[in-house]
Amino acid sequence: MTTAVSYLRTSSKTNLDGDSAPRQRQAIEEYAQRNGIAVVKEFYDEAVKGADPVDARPGFQDLLDYLAGNGARVILVENVSRFSRDLIVQETGHKLLQNLGYELVPVDAPSHFTDDTPTAAMVRQILGAVAEFEKAQLVAKLRGARDRKSRALGRRVEGKHGYRVSSPELIREAKRLARKSPKTGKARSLREIAAELAQMGHTTANGQPFSASQVQRLMEAG
């Protein structure tokens, strides 16, 4: 039987005592029963706006932490708007989940994210163009900064090539901490890994612990 987790969201505190959460839960449970899916855990973001990025939501961060150490790969939501009401956030959030190997299913329209509709294609193309533009801008800024520093030092200064080159021990520790315990068979959550890395002195450039999505990328680094 396929296993999945469910994700619920209400956008304001006034919804907390209303019908929103029970309605979402019922729709997900009915879909799961019809399709032979076992919902193993529920995650709920209370009073979280639909335009908020998914990786900035506490409940969704907990969901990602759970999936990283669990066999479930499917996320069920009542409809697309429960995931996000913002089209850009929908597409970027879905892309994040795709890259992590997870499937997002709105139970009222299960093929929404797999249909190649003109709107979805347009948004993906726009996002791709924006990402390419931003990357080109960043590369140009970094190149200019290196050129200025090189002139000041009288020697060529080259840029960093990511943690894989600049901090291979960080990659090794992240992957070590992600392994399941030989005694219990359980794995640490992404947040637990980030906390332990911080205790070892491995933090972001701002001195903060890595986010769950950053830890996931560290573990996937070659």
Side-chain angles (χ1 to χ4, degrees):
M1 177 178 285
T2 300
T3 57
V5 298
S6 61
Y7 175 69
L8 283 62
R9 182 186 64 80
T10 51
S11 57
S12 66
K13 292 182 179 179
T14 57
N15 296 135
L16 299 183
D17 296 326
D19 183 57
S20 181
R23 186 198 66 239
Q24 294 178 56
R25 189 174 295 114
Q26 181 179 348
I28 290 170
E29 289 175 352
E30 290 177 352
Y31 174 85
Q33 290 173 3
R34 290 196 306 270
N35 292 273
I37 298 172
V39 178
V40 294
K41 197 168 181 64
E42 176 185 292
F43 296 88
Y44 185 11
D45 269 315
E46 300 179 352
V48 170
K49 295 184 181 301
D52 291 352
V54 296
D55 59 355
R57 304 175 186 178
F60 208 84
Q61 282 285 350
D62 290 340
L63 182 152
L64 292 177
D65 286 346
Y66 178 81
L67 290 181
N70 184 278
R73 313 296 290 178
V74 178
I75 304 166
L76 300 179
V77 294
E78 179 196 23
N79 53 49
V80 174
S81 69
R82 290 303 97 199
F83 180 59
S84 175
R85 291 187 181 278
D86 184 285
L87 190 58
I88 300 299
V89 174
Q90 283 180 21
E91 289 293 326
T92 54
H94 179 243
K95 187 65 176 177
L96 168 67
L97 295 176
Q98 270 190 324
N99 291 340
L100 295 176
Y102 305 138
E103 181 183 1
L104 177 66
V105 180
V107 300
D108 71 329
S111 61
H112 176 87
F113 287 107
T114 56
D115 285 343
D116 194 17
T117 64
T119 299
M122 179 189 70
V123 171
R124 284 193 291 269
Q125 290 168 3
I126 292 173
L127 289 175
V130 170
E132 185 175 353
F133 173 71
E134 290 179 340
K135 181 179 179 180
Q137 273 195 319
L138 178 60
V139 169
K141 288 179 180 178
L142 292 175
R143 184 186 299 115
R146 289 196 300 271
D147 289 345
R148 289 190 293 274
K149 190 170 184 179
S150 296
R151 288 194 294 270
L153 295 176
R155 59 181 176 82
R156 186 63 194 168
V157 176
E158 295 298 339
K160 295 181 180 180
H161 301 280
Y163 289 121
R164 182 173 56 84
V165 173
S166 65
S167 188
E169 69 279 4
L170 169 59
I171 303 295
R172 287 195 298 271
E173 288 298 331
K175 291 184 176 181
R176 180 184 66 80
L177 292 170
R179 298 190 191 108
K180 291 183 178 180
S181 167
K183 293 183 179 179
T184 65
K186 295 182 179 180
R188 296 177 178 86
S189 71
L190 295 176
R191 286 184 178 178
E192 288 172 339
I193 294 173
E196 294 204 29
L197 287 173
Q199 289 181 351
M200 298 175 188
H202 296 301
T203 59
T204 66
N206 296 326
Q208 299 297 315
F210 291 104
S211 68
S213 56
Q214 287 174 318
V215 172
Q216 183 75 42
R217 288 195 290 273
L218 287 174
M219 294 189 300
E220 294 172 350

